[in-house]
Amino acid sequence: MTEALTEPAAPQPAAPGAPGAGGPRRGDLTQGPILRTLLLFSIPTLISNLLQTLNGSINAMWVGRLIGESALAATANANVITFLLFSAVFGFGMATTVKVGQHFGARNVDAARRTFGAGTGFCTLVSLAVAIAGWFASPTLLRLMATPGGSMAEADAYLRVIFLSLPFGTATMMLSMGLRGAGDARTPLYAMILTVAIDVAFNPLLIRGIGPFPALGVFGSAFSTAHIPPLGIAGSALSTALANIAGVLLLVWVLYRKDLPLRLRGAELRYLRPAWDELGYIIGKGLPMGAQMLLIAAAQLVMVGLVNREGMDTTAAYGASMQLWNYLQMPAFAIGSAVSAMVAQAIGADNHRRAGAVTLFGVTTNLVMTGVLGLLIVTFDRPLLAIFLGHDSPAIPIARHIQLICTWSFMLSGVMMVMTGTMRAYGAVVVPLLILFVSFYPARMGFYFGTYHWLGSEALWWSYPASSSVALVLTVWAYTQGNWRHNRGSAYRAGGPPAD
């Protein structure tokens, strides 16, 4: 996979605090103590991820308790579709973040704005088209997923509103990721706090129609019938939409109020019309990054199907374990994103020694944070699992056994995330995708089917450390032996295409 890059322009006069301006640069990740910078940048991202996960759990609680099981099943089916859509957008957003970081590190503020505008404009146009098509295709998509008939009308009502909110969610994601590429992790955190607060507060109000709010049911649904009461499954989706709109407005307001480097004014607004030279990078690098998310989702679906064969208690135990793993993986996601942004800026500044040091600090920090969190989960597993299963559930002993086998493997996969964050910053995106595929399918599935005849259900749990070990070995080999670092660095200086 290749990319055409022009030589970074000479520093130009810029807004105060922007790249190229005199004095300390706002969002500059190329200077200062690496560990301190890494922590100050990753902690806001970690809190954002935590809030987002908690928001999903709380919303599921509102829907399940205020409407019922069929509505909860409806949101689960609709969320699978929205996850697939956001996976593609996430890839484009990460590609935009990397290139913004490179330009920012090179002190080329105009190039950073051009990339940011192209990525935001392109993804917004794509999301608008998908929103319109999704409104009409919602019933067909749900049928293809074999959504249960009892949940069909509610799922359709929920999904249609979610489709309409997609452009706002996309804009929030692009603005947040672009700002992180420019070294600003705090503004996206503030937007996430506002988004979660509004979503959590408005969900019960719109579901039940409390006060001046109408109770929203299955309006506009192709499956609407007179037998379905006007309870607010659509109100839950509308709450999410309103929260996303508020988040976008806050990000835009802060962007211009503080005159942040990525704000577009006057003639710069034309950057929102995607240029082909920018789209080549965003699409070429973004598709493999998005494909990584799809591989993860597909692997999870396969594992759920295999676990379901072991009975209800095992399925419940696995479901509760996955809830804890969502939090266990958060340090690796946050540190991996921070490393990617810091390394991208170091590349732009032609400081490859710092890029290597950032990776080393990222790996060490992730091992400590994930290790401590894993130890806490294993030590206090019974009360934590009881939150999801109940204190007397027969699934708790099974879940505790799963935690003992699988928890430590997330330390290994976290190292992979950090190293691939560095490779991603250098433009190497195909190799991490291939490693992910090998670790999930030939390694994990191969281990399961190869050992199930004598390990039984234990093969499911031991496939996790087997998969993570293979991923770590391949990642370390690719990181130390590959020529991606030297090719990418020389390409940025000379304007030639890098090798993946």
Side-chain angles (χ1 to χ4, degrees):
M1 198 162 291
T2 60
E3 163 209 357
L5 282 173
T6 57
E7 187 174 350
Q12 308 169 23
R25 294 189 303 144
R26 181 186 299 151
D28 188 356
L29 304 176
T30 64
Q31 302 177 28
I34 291 176
L35 180 59
R36 180 176 181 274
T37 303
L38 180 68
L39 290 176
L40 289 177
F41 189 82
S42 60
I43 287 176
T45 304
L46 177 61
I47 297 174
S48 294
N49 293 339
L50 176 63
L51 289 173
Q52 194 169 24
T53 302
L54 285 173
N55 184 39
S57 300
I58 294 172
N59 286 351
M61 180 194 72
W62 284 131
V63 171
R65 297 204 174 180
L66 295 182
I67 306 179
E69 290 81 358
S70 64
L72 191 58
T75 61
N77 280 271
N79 286 338
V80 171
I81 295 175
T82 56
F83 176 81
L84 296 177
L85 296 173
F86 271 108
S87 293
V89 177
F90 175 84
F92 299 139
M94 279 304 307
T96 302
T97 300
V98 166
K99 202 173 183 188
V100 165
Q102 291 173 357
H103 289 315
F104 200 85
R107 298 176 177 260
N108 192 344
V109 65
D110 187 67
R113 289 172 179 165
R114 190 165 57 247
T115 298
F116 174 69
T120 303
F122 171 70
C123 289
T124 301
L125 288 174
V126 170
S127 64
L128 283 171
V130 171
I132 295 171
W135 174 270
F136 296 102
S138 174
T140 303
L141 291 173
L142 292 169
R143 288 193 189 97
L144 290 174
M145 289 181 58
T147 302
S151 302
M152 188 67 82
E154 292 169 308
D156 184 47
Y158 182 87
L159 185 58
R160 284 174 183 250
V161 179
I162 289 296
F163 268 121
L164 293 183
S165 71
L166 186 63
F168 301 104
T170 299
T172 300
M173 180 186 298
M174 293 302 300
L175 288 167
S176 297
M177 297 180 80
L179 287 168
R180 291 188 182 109
D184 181 4
R186 291 186 179 182
T187 302
L189 172 60
Y190 300 149
M192 180 59 67
I193 292 173
L194 177 65
T195 299
V196 171
I198 291 177
D199 202 6
V200 169
F202 274 64
N203 241 284
L205 299 178
L206 288 171
I207 286 174
R208 283 299 191 188
I210 299 173
F213 301 101
L216 301 176
V218 291
F219 64 94
S221 171
F223 302 101
S224 182
T225 72
H227 302 291
I228 299 177
L231 294 179
I233 183 68
S236 178
L238 182 59
S239 174
T240 300
L242 293 174
N244 283 331
I245 293 172
V248 169
L249 293 177
L250 178 63
L251 285 170
V252 172
W253 182 80
V254 173
L255 195 67
Y256 287 89
R257 177 68 178 81
K258 294 186 176 181
D259 195 30
L260 298 181
L262 292 183
R263 90 302 176 259
L264 303 178
R265 283 201 177 101
E268 294 171 340
L269 292 172
R270 71 181 187 275
Y271 294 159
L272 291 171
R273 184 176 60 194
W276 285 112
D277 58 335
E278 297 289 348
L279 284 183
Y281 183 94
I282 293 171
I283 296 176
K285 302 298 184 183
L287 285 176
M289 293 184 196
Q292 291 184 38
M293 299 290 291
L294 296 179
L295 278 180
I296 294 172
Q300 288 177 341
L301 289 175
V302 171
M303 286 299 294
V304 168
L306 295 175
V307 171
N308 286 341
R309 300 179 181 180
E310 304 300 326
M312 183 178 297
D313 288 341
T314 302
T315 300
Y318 183 70
S321 297
M322 289 182 66
Q323 291 292 327
L324 296 182
W325 295 341
N326 286 337
Y327 296 95
L328 184 59
Q329 295 178 87
M330 284 183 184
F333 281 122
I335 294 171
S337 297
V339 166
S340 190
M342 291 178 68
V343 170
Q345 287 198 20
I347 293 169
D350 199 17
N351 189 348
H352 301 279
R353 183 184 297 275
R354 182 177 176 88
V358 167
T359 306
L360 180 60
F361 274 100
V363 168
T364 304
T365 305
N366 171 74
L367 285 173
V368 172
M369 293 179 69
T370 305
V372 170
L373 188 56
L375 181 61
L376 290 173
I377 288 176
V378 171
T379 302
F380 301 101
D381 55 354
R382 178 175 285 278
L384 291 173
L385 292 166
I387 296 174
F388 306 101
L389 297 171
H391 291 282
D392 300 323
S393 172
I396 283 187
I398 302 173
R400 296 185 70 190
H401 180 67
I402 294 172
Q403 292 299 318
L404 285 174
I405 296 175
C406 299
T407 297
W408 67 273
S409 68
F410 288 95
M411 295 178 64
L412 305 183
S413 58
V415 174
M416 173 193 172
M417 289 183 193
V418 174
M419 287 186 168
T420 55
T422 295
M423 296 171 71
R424 182 170 60 229
Y426 274 88
V429 292
V430 174
V431 171
L433 176 63
L434 293 175
I435 291 174
L436 201 63
F437 175 83
V438 170
S439 65
F440 277 154
Y441 297 97
R444 180 177 293 181
M445 296 300 111
F447 181 92
Y448 168 78
F449 288 108
T451 62
Y452 185 80
H453 66 285
W454 58 278
L455 284 180
S457 62
E458 291 291 292
L460 286 167
W461 324 133
W462 284 103
S463 70
Y464 272 87
S467 172
S468 297
S469 299
V470 170
L472 179 60
V473 169
L474 292 177
T475 301
V476 171
W477 177 83
Y479 184 87
T480 56
Q481 302 298 321
N483 61 358
W484 49 272
R485 184 188 297 105
H486 303 293
N487 287 340
R488 183 61 185 84
S490 61
Y492 196 84
R493 291 189 297 272
D500 202 318

